[in-house]
Amino acid sequence: MGFYSGFIPLVALLLSTRALADSDASLFQQYQNNAEPIRSAMLGSIRTSWEQGTAAGAILEWNDPEYSVFGSNPFVSNGQFPQDTLQLALSAAVRQTSDGRLSQNINDALDGAALDGASAGSAVLLGTFTDEGRADYWENAADAQLNYILNDVPRTKTGAISHRATTAQYWADGVYMGFPFIAYYGAVKNNGTLLQIAYDQCRLYRDALLIDGPTGKLWAHIYDDDNSAWIDEGIWATGNGWAALGMLRVAVTIEKTSFYPSMKSQVSDLKAWIKEILDGEFKALNSDNLLPDYITGGPTFSDAASSAALASVAYRVATLYPDQFGSNYTDVAGKIRTAVLDGVTNLGTLSPVVNPLSWDETGLLSTEAQAFGLMLLSAWRDCI
């Protein structure tokens, strides 16, 4: 009697879990057709260095997932040619300036960012082991980009690599732009020092930008270290999205290397810091199940861009670390996912979204929002 009393609820739980998974898979089949218009709108809108790299990352996860850091063995060739990703990488390398910044030679090369170009660095380095005929070309481009951010970019008083090219500034965006590339280079080249640098930079940026907010500790957007003053002390949802996306990729990259046994504490930190962001942001969800543009310091209009970014992170961590990130994270991610995908327009654009060039205004078209939408679909697919 005791056996059956325990066995029957267990069977019910397993059947219920299977039913939920089947239901989610069915929903995904309904929504996956959104991927192509989201993707094409993204590719049609690229104009800046960070957009080039973010789009390449999104394409990698959707079209060539075996080579994304979430793949099982992403740092060696499996015989497949990641054409879609390398097409974007080629554009980044062709537009590389003499100082090493990828995707920079646009708008008269006046982009003042130091780290944005590195957002395409991993896609470029991918070419070194998947496109042997151009291996030297890819290698030279990746090496120049790495050299620039490690040796030429200004540093803050604590040694953090500045997000800007001529002044020492922390931008939450930089955690996605620069540090996953440093970690990826370390993984591909078996260089543990670079993995540690990537972690250290995440830590230094968090130390500088973390503030107390009404829903918990979250990241402010921009701090000017030269003048010891805030440029944007607001808790901007997209900035927190960039930070969480970047730290997740650094953590997963470290885990897939031989250095992981000696870097478990670093990965544990990164996961805790991601959780910190998800917990604080998800508590601020608007009534339409989208995140507010700002929690403090700016407007609170609903923003599908940051919502998609952080929902993608929630799906990824729930898949990778279910003991730490339970169903409460995927439940919120599911609400956000429905709100985001139901808001996709007939042109394939996410809506409503913040203007990526003016953070306190709504916009009509955002390359990063499109990329986040594709990342959300990829993370949801891999979570089912």
Side-chain angles (χ1 to χ4, degrees):
M1 185 66 178
F3 169 79
Y4 285 106
S5 64
F7 178 72
I8 292 173
L10 177 59
V11 170
L13 175 62
L14 291 173
L15 290 174
S16 173
T17 302
R18 175 61 183 272
L20 286 171
D22 289 345
S23 174
D24 221 25
S26 178
L27 273 175
F28 178 76
Q29 293 300 319
Q30 296 175 35
Y31 278 111
Q32 68 172 335
N33 289 335
N34 283 354
E36 183 50 37
I38 289 172
R39 176 181 182 272
S40 59
M42 176 185 74
L43 294 175
S45 64
I46 296 170
R47 61 190 182 280
T48 62
S49 56
W50 85 83
E51 292 172 335
Q52 184 76 23
T54 306
I59 291 293
L60 181 66
E61 290 181 35
W62 181 252
N63 289 54
D64 304 306
E66 67 277 7
Y67 287 121
S68 88
V69 294
F70 304 109
S72 59
N73 192 23
F75 308 125
V76 295
S77 175
N78 61 13
Q80 299 298 311
F81 183 66
Q83 181 184 65
D84 294 318
T85 303
L86 292 185
Q87 286 174 335
L88 286 166
L90 181 62
S91 177
V94 166
R95 292 189 285 123
Q96 186 172 37
T97 44
S98 59
D99 60 12
R101 284 181 285 179
L102 293 163
S103 313
Q104 176 73 11
N105 202 4
I106 190 170
N107 295 333
D108 298 319
L110 297 178
D111 184 345
L115 295 179
D116 285 351
S119 61
S122 298
V124 169
L125 193 60
L126 172 66
T128 63
F129 59 88
T130 59
D131 186 23
E132 292 184 0
R134 300 179 187 84
D136 289 345
Y137 178 77
W138 299 121
E139 184 94 38
N140 291 337
D143 286 353
Q145 175 63 82
L146 183 69
N147 178 71
Y148 172 76
I149 58 177
L150 291 183
N151 298 315
D152 295 341
V153 177
R155 298 278 182 138
T156 69
K157 299 176 186 70
T158 62
I161 301 169
S162 173
H163 185 65
R164 306 302 290 174
T166 59
T167 60
Q169 294 181 12
Y170 297 90
W171 291 42
D173 318 37
V175 177
Y176 177 87
M177 301 302 159
F179 311 146
F181 166 57
I182 295 173
Y184 187 85
Y185 198 104
V188 171
K189 300 297 185 179
N190 199 35
N191 185 323
T193 299
L194 291 177
L195 295 172
Q196 182 63 43
I197 289 172
Y199 161 80
D200 285 337
Q201 291 301 315
C202 292
R203 174 178 55 80
L204 292 171
Y205 265 62
R206 177 180 175 272
D207 288 348
L209 295 176
L210 193 71
I211 64 172
D212 289 319
T215 58
K217 291 183 179 297
L218 286 165
W219 291 44
H221 187 197
I222 304 171
Y223 184 77
D224 183 343
D225 196 62
D226 285 340
N227 296 303
S228 301
W230 289 102
I231 293 175
D232 183 1
E233 195 177 0
I235 297 175
W236 186 44
T238 302
N240 280 271
W242 286 126
L245 288 166
M247 290 191 293
L248 174 60
R249 282 151 182 77
V250 172
V252 173
T253 300
I254 292 171
E255 283 184 322
K256 288 189 165 68
T257 72
S258 61
F259 300 98
Y260 174 54
S262 63
M263 297 188 71
K264 288 184 177 180
S265 64
Q266 289 91 328
V267 171
S268 180
D269 285 344
L270 291 166
K271 289 191 290 184
W273 300 339
I274 294 164
K275 185 177 187 297
E276 184 175 62
I277 289 175
L278 290 178
D279 289 347
E281 285 287 346
F282 282 1
K283 287 177 185 175
L285 208 63
N286 282 341
S287 59
D288 60 359
N289 290 324
L290 294 176
L291 294 170
D293 180 41
Y294 278 85
I295 292 179
T296 62
T300 59
F301 60 78
S302 293
D303 173 42
S306 56
S307 299
L310 286 167
S312 79
V313 172
Y315 275 125
R316 290 293 185 193
V317 293
T319 303
L320 293 165
Y321 317 115
D323 291 342
Q324 189 171 353
F325 297 90
S327 61
N328 51 319
Y329 292 92
T330 51
D331 289 346
V332 178
K335 292 177 182 178
I336 293 174
R337 177 203 73 218
T338 300
V340 168
L341 296 179
D342 283 351
V344 174
T345 72
N346 60 346
L347 291 176
T349 57
L350 269 65
S351 179
V353 295
V354 62
N355 181 342
L357 301 178
S358 184
W359 313 305
D360 59 355
E361 299 175 357
T362 56
L364 291 176
L365 179 61
S366 164
T367 303
E368 63 199 48
Q370 300 302 117
F372 296 155
L374 207 55
M375 291 177 187
L376 170 57
L377 281 167
S378 299
W380 180 26
R381 174 198 63 199
D382 295 349
C383 188
I384 297 171

